[in-house]
PDB file of all heavy atoms in Angstrom:
ATOM      1  N   CYS I 171      11.970  -2.741 -39.978  1.00 97.00           N
ATOM      2  CA  CYS I 171      11.626  -3.363 -38.746  1.00 97.00           C
ATOM      3  C   CYS I 171      12.792  -3.548 -37.789  1.00 97.00           C
ATOM      4  O   CYS I 171      12.754  -3.101 -36.557  1.00 97.00           O
ATOM      5  CB  CYS I 171      10.962  -4.776 -39.050  1.00 97.00           C
ATOM      6  SG  CYS I 171      10.496  -5.672 -37.553  1.00 97.00           S
ATOM      7  N   ILE I 172      13.938  -3.984 -38.392  1.00 97.00           N
ATOM      8  CA  ILE I 172      15.086  -4.217 -37.561  1.00 97.00           C
ATOM      9  C   ILE I 172      15.654  -2.868 -37.156  1.00 97.00           C
ATOM     10  O   ILE I 172      16.018  -2.780 -35.951  1.00 97.00           O
ATOM     11  CB  ILE I 172      16.219  -4.955 -38.480  1.00 97.00           C
ATOM     12  CG1 ILE I 172      15.686  -6.441 -38.786  1.00 97.00           C
ATOM     13  CG2 ILE I 172      17.463  -4.980 -37.755  1.00 97.00           C
ATOM     14  CD1 ILE I 172      16.495  -7.131 -39.690  1.00 97.00           C
ATOM     15  N   GLU I 173      15.723  -1.918 -38.115  1.00 94.00           N
ATOM     16  CA  GLU I 173      16.443  -0.622 -37.726  1.00 94.00           C
ATOM     17  C   GLU I 173      15.605   0.271 -36.786  1.00 94.00           C
ATOM     18  O   GLU I 173      16.104   1.069 -36.194  1.00 94.00           O
ATOM     19  CB  GLU I 173      16.659   0.179 -39.073  1.00 94.00           C
ATOM     20  CG  GLU I 173      17.671  -0.492 -39.944  1.00 94.00           C
ATOM     21  CD  GLU I 173      17.945   0.297 -41.216  1.00 94.00           C
ATOM     22  OE1 GLU I 173      17.157   1.207 -41.454  1.00 94.00           O
ATOM     23  OE2 GLU I 173      19.048   0.017 -41.904  1.00 94.00           O
ATOM     24  N   HIS I 174      14.204  -0.143 -36.635  1.00 95.00           N
ATOM     25  CA  HIS I 174      13.515   0.575 -35.588  1.00 95.00           C
ATOM     26  C   HIS I 174      13.397  -0.114 -34.288  1.00 95.00           C
ATOM     27  O   HIS I 174      12.710   0.021 -33.441  1.00 95.00           O
ATOM     28  CB  HIS I 174      12.157   0.926 -36.090  1.00 95.00           C
ATOM     29  CG  HIS I 174      12.099   2.025 -37.162  1.00 95.00           C
ATOM     30  ND1 HIS I 174      12.420   1.798 -38.420  1.00 95.00           N
ATOM     31  CD2 HIS I 174      11.792   3.262 -37.068  1.00 95.00           C
ATOM     32  CE1 HIS I 174      12.392   3.020 -39.159  1.00 95.00           C
ATOM     33  NE2 HIS I 174      11.953   3.902 -38.193  1.00 95.00           N
ATOM     34  N   GLY I 175      14.242  -1.230 -34.230  1.00 96.00           N
ATOM     35  CA  GLY I 175      14.417  -1.960 -32.932  1.00 96.00           C
ATOM     36  C   GLY I 175      13.349  -2.942 -32.623  1.00 96.00           C
ATOM     37  O   GLY I 175      13.158  -3.320 -31.433  1.00 96.00           O
ATOM     38  N   LEU I 176      12.460  -3.333 -33.588  1.00 97.00           N
ATOM     39  CA  LEU I 176      11.509  -4.294 -33.319  1.00 97.00           C
ATOM     40  C   LEU I 176      11.864  -5.699 -33.519  1.00 97.00           C
ATOM     41  O   LEU I 176      12.861  -5.936 -34.338  1.00 97.00           O
ATOM     42  CB  LEU I 176      10.311  -3.914 -34.242  1.00 97.00           C
ATOM     43  CG  LEU I 176       9.701  -2.547 -34.077  1.00 97.00           C
ATOM     44  CD1 LEU I 176       8.497  -2.271 -35.211  1.00 97.00           C
ATOM     45  CD2 LEU I 176       9.069  -2.374 -32.750  1.00 97.00           C
ATOM     46  N   GLU I 177      11.311  -6.626 -33.010  1.00 97.00           N
ATOM     47  CA  GLU I 177      11.555  -8.055 -33.201  1.00 97.00           C
ATOM     48  C   GLU I 177      11.190  -8.426 -34.607  1.00 97.00           C
ATOM     49  O   GLU I 177      10.012  -7.981 -35.057  1.00 97.00           O
ATOM     50  CB  GLU I 177      10.867  -8.981 -32.121  1.00 97.00           C
ATOM     51  CG  GLU I 177      11.133 -10.388 -32.378  1.00 97.00           C
ATOM     52  CD  GLU I 177      10.505 -11.313 -31.434  1.00 97.00           C
ATOM     53  OE1 GLU I 177      10.076 -10.795 -30.304  1.00 97.00           O
ATOM     54  OE2 GLU I 177      10.540 -12.496 -31.534  1.00 97.00           O
ATOM     55  N   LEU I 178      11.932  -9.151 -35.301  1.00 97.00           N
ATOM     56  CA  LEU I 178      11.549  -9.505 -36.775  1.00 97.00           C
ATOM     57  C   LEU I 178      10.673 -10.676 -36.750  1.00 97.00           C
ATOM     58  O   LEU I 178      11.070 -11.810 -36.734  1.00 97.00           O
ATOM     59  CB  LEU I 178      12.866  -9.920 -37.480  1.00 97.00           C
ATOM     60  CG  LEU I 178      12.907 -10.106 -38.833  1.00 97.00           C
ATOM     61  CD1 LEU I 178      12.455  -8.872 -39.569  1.00 97.00           C
ATOM     62  CD2 LEU I 178      14.110 -10.661 -39.472  1.00 97.00           C
ATOM     63  N   ASN I 179       9.370 -10.276 -36.924  1.00 97.00           N
ATOM     64  CA  ASN I 179       8.301 -11.271 -37.021  1.00 97.00           C
ATOM     65  C   ASN I 179       7.300 -10.703 -37.996  1.00 97.00           C
ATOM     66  O   ASN I 179       7.331  -9.474 -38.360  1.00 97.00           O
ATOM     67  CB  ASN I 179       7.610 -11.656 -35.748  1.00 97.00           C
ATOM     68  CG  ASN I 179       7.038 -10.521 -34.963  1.00 97.00           C
ATOM     69  OD1 ASN I 179       6.536  -9.636 -35.503  1.00 97.00           O
ATOM     70  ND2 ASN I 179       7.429 -10.554 -33.607  1.00 97.00           N
ATOM     71  N   VAL I 180       6.336 -11.492 -38.372  1.00 97.00           N
ATOM     72  CA  VAL I 180       5.347 -11.139 -39.439  1.00 97.00           C
ATOM     73  C   VAL I 180       4.621  -9.913 -38.993  1.00 97.00           C
ATOM     74  O   VAL I 180       4.474  -8.962 -39.818  1.00 97.00           O
ATOM     75  CB  VAL I 180       4.528 -12.251 -39.900  1.00 97.00           C
ATOM     76  CG1 VAL I 180       3.363 -11.767 -40.817  1.00 97.00           C
ATOM     77  CG2 VAL I 180       5.257 -13.414 -40.588  1.00 97.00           C
ATOM     78  N   GLU I 181       4.193  -9.961 -37.816  1.00 97.00           N
ATOM     79  CA  GLU I 181       3.304  -8.847 -37.271  1.00 97.00           C
ATOM     80  C   GLU I 181       4.069  -7.513 -37.338  1.00 97.00           C
ATOM     81  O   GLU I 181       3.573  -6.551 -37.817  1.00 97.00           O
ATOM     82  CB  GLU I 181       2.773  -9.096 -35.947  1.00 97.00           C
ATOM     83  CG  GLU I 181       1.787  -8.050 -35.385  1.00 97.00           C
ATOM     84  CD  GLU I 181       1.340  -8.404 -33.839  1.00 97.00           C
ATOM     85  OE1 GLU I 181       1.627  -9.441 -33.453  1.00 97.00           O
ATOM     86  OE2 GLU I 181       0.740  -7.517 -33.279  1.00 97.00           O
ATOM     87  N   ASN I 182       5.229  -7.437 -36.754  1.00 98.00           N
ATOM     88  CA  ASN I 182       6.122  -6.284 -36.757  1.00 98.00           C
ATOM     89  C   ASN I 182       6.349  -5.741 -38.198  1.00 98.00           C
ATOM     90  O   ASN I 182       6.590  -4.569 -38.422  1.00 98.00           O
ATOM     91  CB  ASN I 182       7.198  -6.413 -35.814  1.00 98.00           C
ATOM     92  CG  ASN I 182       6.926  -6.397 -34.489  1.00 98.00           C
ATOM     93  OD1 ASN I 182       5.918  -5.970 -33.962  1.00 98.00           O
ATOM     94  ND2 ASN I 182       7.806  -7.003 -33.630  1.00 98.00           N
ATOM     95  N   VAL I 183       6.729  -6.754 -39.066  1.00 98.00           N
ATOM     96  CA  VAL I 183       7.219  -6.313 -40.357  1.00 98.00           C
ATOM     97  C   VAL I 183       5.974  -5.883 -41.207  1.00 98.00           C
ATOM     98  O   VAL I 183       6.188  -4.893 -41.928  1.00 98.00           O
ATOM     99  CB  VAL I 183       7.791  -7.509 -41.114  1.00 98.00           C
ATOM    100  CG1 VAL I 183       7.872  -7.282 -42.620  1.00 98.00           C
ATOM    101  CG2 VAL I 183       9.164  -8.074 -40.423  1.00 98.00           C
ATOM    102  N   ARG I 184       4.809  -6.349 -40.904  1.00 97.00           N
ATOM    103  CA  ARG I 184       3.628  -5.912 -41.634  1.00 97.00           C
ATOM    104  C   ARG I 184       3.357  -4.436 -41.345  1.00 97.00           C
ATOM    105  O   ARG I 184       2.968  -3.663 -42.252  1.00 97.00           O
ATOM    106  CB  ARG I 184       2.404  -6.861 -41.243  1.00 97.00           C
ATOM    107  CG  ARG I 184       1.321  -6.495 -42.077  1.00 97.00           C
ATOM    108  CD  ARG I 184      -0.023  -7.203 -41.545  1.00 97.00           C
ATOM    109  NE  ARG I 184       0.228  -8.593 -41.278  1.00 97.00           N
ATOM    110  CZ  ARG I 184       0.004  -9.174 -40.195  1.00 97.00           C
ATOM    111  NH1 ARG I 184      -0.276  -8.314 -39.076  1.00 97.00           N
ATOM    112  NH2 ARG I 184       0.219 -10.364 -39.959  1.00 97.00           N
ATOM    113  N   LYS I 185       3.634  -3.841 -40.232  1.00 96.00           N
ATOM    114  CA  LYS I 185       3.324  -2.583 -39.815  1.00 96.00           C
ATOM    115  C   LYS I 185       4.430  -1.574 -40.041  1.00 96.00           C
ATOM    116  O   LYS I 185       4.386  -0.320 -39.748  1.00 96.00           O
ATOM    117  CB  LYS I 185       2.870  -2.430 -38.346  1.00 96.00           C
ATOM    118  CG  LYS I 185       3.924  -2.800 -37.373  1.00 96.00           C
ATOM    119  CD  LYS I 185       3.260  -2.822 -35.954  1.00 96.00           C
ATOM    120  CE  LYS I 185       4.341  -3.173 -34.899  1.00 96.00           C
ATOM    121  NZ  LYS I 185       3.806  -3.307 -33.499  1.00 96.00           N
ATOM    122  N   SER I 186       5.600  -2.096 -40.612  1.00 97.00           N
ATOM    123  CA  SER I 186       6.803  -1.304 -40.896  1.00 97.00           C
ATOM    124  C   SER I 186       6.646  -0.681 -42.239  1.00 97.00           C
ATOM    125  O   SER I 186       5.792  -1.092 -43.156  1.00 97.00           O
ATOM    126  CB  SER I 186       8.015  -2.030 -40.821  1.00 97.00           C
ATOM    127  OG  SER I 186       8.240  -2.499 -39.484  1.00 97.00           O
ATOM    128  N   SER I 187       7.323   0.292 -42.487  1.00 96.00           N
ATOM    129  CA  SER I 187       7.222   1.057 -43.812  1.00 96.00           C
ATOM    130  C   SER I 187       7.885   0.316 -44.904  1.00 96.00           C
ATOM    131  O   SER I 187       8.907  -0.377 -44.687  1.00 96.00           O
ATOM    132  CB  SER I 187       8.047   2.474 -43.683  1.00 96.00           C
ATOM    133  OG  SER I 187       8.023   3.136 -44.918  1.00 96.00           O
ATOM    134  N   LYS I 188       7.341   0.446 -46.024  1.00 96.00           N
ATOM    135  CA  LYS I 188       7.812  -0.180 -47.326  1.00 96.00           C
ATOM    136  C   LYS I 188       8.832   0.782 -48.078  1.00 96.00           C
ATOM    137  O   LYS I 188       9.339   0.449 -49.170  1.00 96.00           O
ATOM    138  CB  LYS I 188       6.597  -0.607 -48.243  1.00 96.00           C
ATOM    139  CG  LYS I 188       5.767   0.461 -48.796  1.00 96.00           C
ATOM    140  CD  LYS I 188       4.689  -0.082 -49.630  1.00 96.00           C
ATOM    141  CE  LYS I 188       3.850   0.940 -50.319  1.00 96.00           C
ATOM    142  NZ  LYS I 188       4.449   1.830 -51.267  1.00 96.00           N
ATOM    143  N   GLN I 189       9.109   1.995 -47.547  1.00 94.00           N
ATOM    144  CA  GLN I 189      10.056   2.821 -48.077  1.00 94.00           C
ATOM    145  C   GLN I 189      11.369   2.918 -47.427  1.00 94.00           C
ATOM    146  O   GLN I 189      11.285   2.848 -46.115  1.00 94.00           O
ATOM    147  CB  GLN I 189       9.388   4.256 -48.136  1.00 94.00           C
ATOM    148  CG  GLN I 189       8.176   4.370 -48.975  1.00 94.00           C
ATOM    149  CD  GLN I 189       7.562   5.767 -48.883  1.00 94.00           C
ATOM    150  OE1 GLN I 189       7.471   6.416 -47.833  1.00 94.00           O
ATOM    151  NE2 GLN I 189       7.050   6.229 -50.040  1.00 94.00           N
ATOM    152  N   HIS I 190      12.431   2.959 -48.115  1.00 93.00           N
ATOM    153  CA  HIS I 190      13.728   2.966 -47.501  1.00 93.00           C
ATOM    154  C   HIS I 190      14.627   3.895 -48.297  1.00 93.00           C
ATOM    155  O   HIS I 190      14.660   3.807 -49.458  1.00 93.00           O
ATOM    156  CB  HIS I 190      14.321   1.638 -47.240  1.00 93.00           C
ATOM    157  CG  HIS I 190      15.418   1.498 -46.333  1.00 93.00           C
ATOM    158  ND1 HIS I 190      16.759   1.898 -46.475  1.00 93.00           N
ATOM    159  CD2 HIS I 190      15.526   1.222 -45.060  1.00 93.00           C
ATOM    160  CE1 HIS I 190      17.455   1.750 -45.394  1.00 93.00           C
ATOM    161  NE2 HIS I 190      16.573   1.249 -44.465  1.00 93.00           N
ATOM    162  N   LYS I 191      15.479   4.763 -47.530  1.00 89.00           N
ATOM    163  CA  LYS I 191      16.268   5.727 -48.205  1.00 89.00           C
ATOM    164  C   LYS I 191      17.448   5.136 -49.086  1.00 89.00           C
ATOM    165  O   LYS I 191      17.969   5.731 -49.924  1.00 89.00           O
ATOM    166  CB  LYS I 191      16.864   6.752 -47.147  1.00 89.00           C
ATOM    167  CG  LYS I 191      15.746   7.625 -46.596  1.00 89.00           C
ATOM    168  CD  LYS I 191      16.460   8.906 -45.869  1.00 89.00           C
ATOM    169  CE  LYS I 191      17.085   8.337 -44.578  1.00 89.00           C
ATOM    170  NZ  LYS I 191      17.532   9.595 -43.756  1.00 89.00           N
TER     171      LYS I 191
END
Side-chain angles (χ1 to χ4, degrees):
C171 177
I172 293 170
E173 292 183 347
H174 286 82
L176 301 175
E177 182 178 351
L178 189 63
N179 57 44
V180 173
E181 183 180 352
N182 287 336
V183 171
R184 191 191 304 121
K185 64 186 180 183
S186 297
S187 173
K188 64 183 179 66
Q189 297 175 320
H190 198 280
K191 290 191 291 185

